[in-house]
Amino acid sequence: MTTTARPPWTAIAARPDQPEAALLLREYMTEMVVRYHRRPALPGEVDAALAELPSDDLTTPSGLLLLARHGDELAGCAGLRWQRGWAELTRVFVRPEHRGAGGGAALLAAVEERARAAGADRIRLDTRHDLVEARALYARHGYAEIPAYSRGPYADHWFEKRLS
């Protein structure tokens, strides 16, 4: 019996305006719009969501955007926004064809490593009630639900993970 090795996951920093990053951020936002409204996105709806919730601060000095590759294929992204002593996780996305292959775990490990290196003692995030897979991923990786630390129209659950 022949066993085929699964390709490795890697993550590198990128600017949100780089073509691959912009592509993944648009795919992420498209999925968020579709899931929120439970219908296909209307013309201009994704552009409006990208404008309402920009990602341009996910670069030095205010943040970080990581692009994940599964082998040679562009497969996902995750961002951090630097706060005083902690980091906020955002834009966690794995392309559908790469889900179930460890991409979410690889992205969390990569952002946690970067946050520790930057001196953050914890990572926080907020997420929506309908993103049940994301909530399960965070819980599996040591993120605990906490009281609300932010307000926003799409924040229903708040999580935190201590990095010490």
Side-chain angles (χ1 to χ4, degrees), residues 25-135:
L25 290 167
R26 175 168 285 280
E27 289 178 21
Y28 161 84
M29 196 60 73
T30 300
E31 183 167 327
M32 294 302 100
V33 167
V34 167
R35 288 186 67 162
Y36 184 77
H37 293 294
R38 296 183 183 151
R39 59 162 169 72
L42 300 175
E45 207 165 27
V46 173
D47 289 330
L50 286 165
E52 178 189 357
L53 301 167
S55 299
D56 56 346
D57 62 340
L58 299 179
T59 189
T60 303
S62 56
L64 166 74
L65 180 66
L66 295 179
L67 301 186
R69 292 192 179 280
H70 191 205
D72 293 332
E73 296 182 33
L74 186 63
C77 61
L80 290 173
R81 289 191 173 101
W82 305 124
Q83 307 296 331
R84 206 171 279 220
W86 58 282
E88 183 175 36
L89 181 62
T90 187
R91 307 298 188 264
V92 178
F93 175 72
V94 175
R95 285 178 154 170
E97 62 270 25
H98 295 281
R99 292 180 186 163
L107 279 164
L108 290 179
V111 295
E112 290 168 12
E113 179 182 321
R114 297 291 185 107
R116 273 188 203 92
D121 67 359
R122 66 194 179 281
I123 293 178
R124 287 182 168 177
L125 65 101
D126 63 48
T127 191
R128 297 188 334 219
H129 70 279
D130 61 317
L131 300 177
V132 294
E133 303 91 343
R135 291 181 9 232

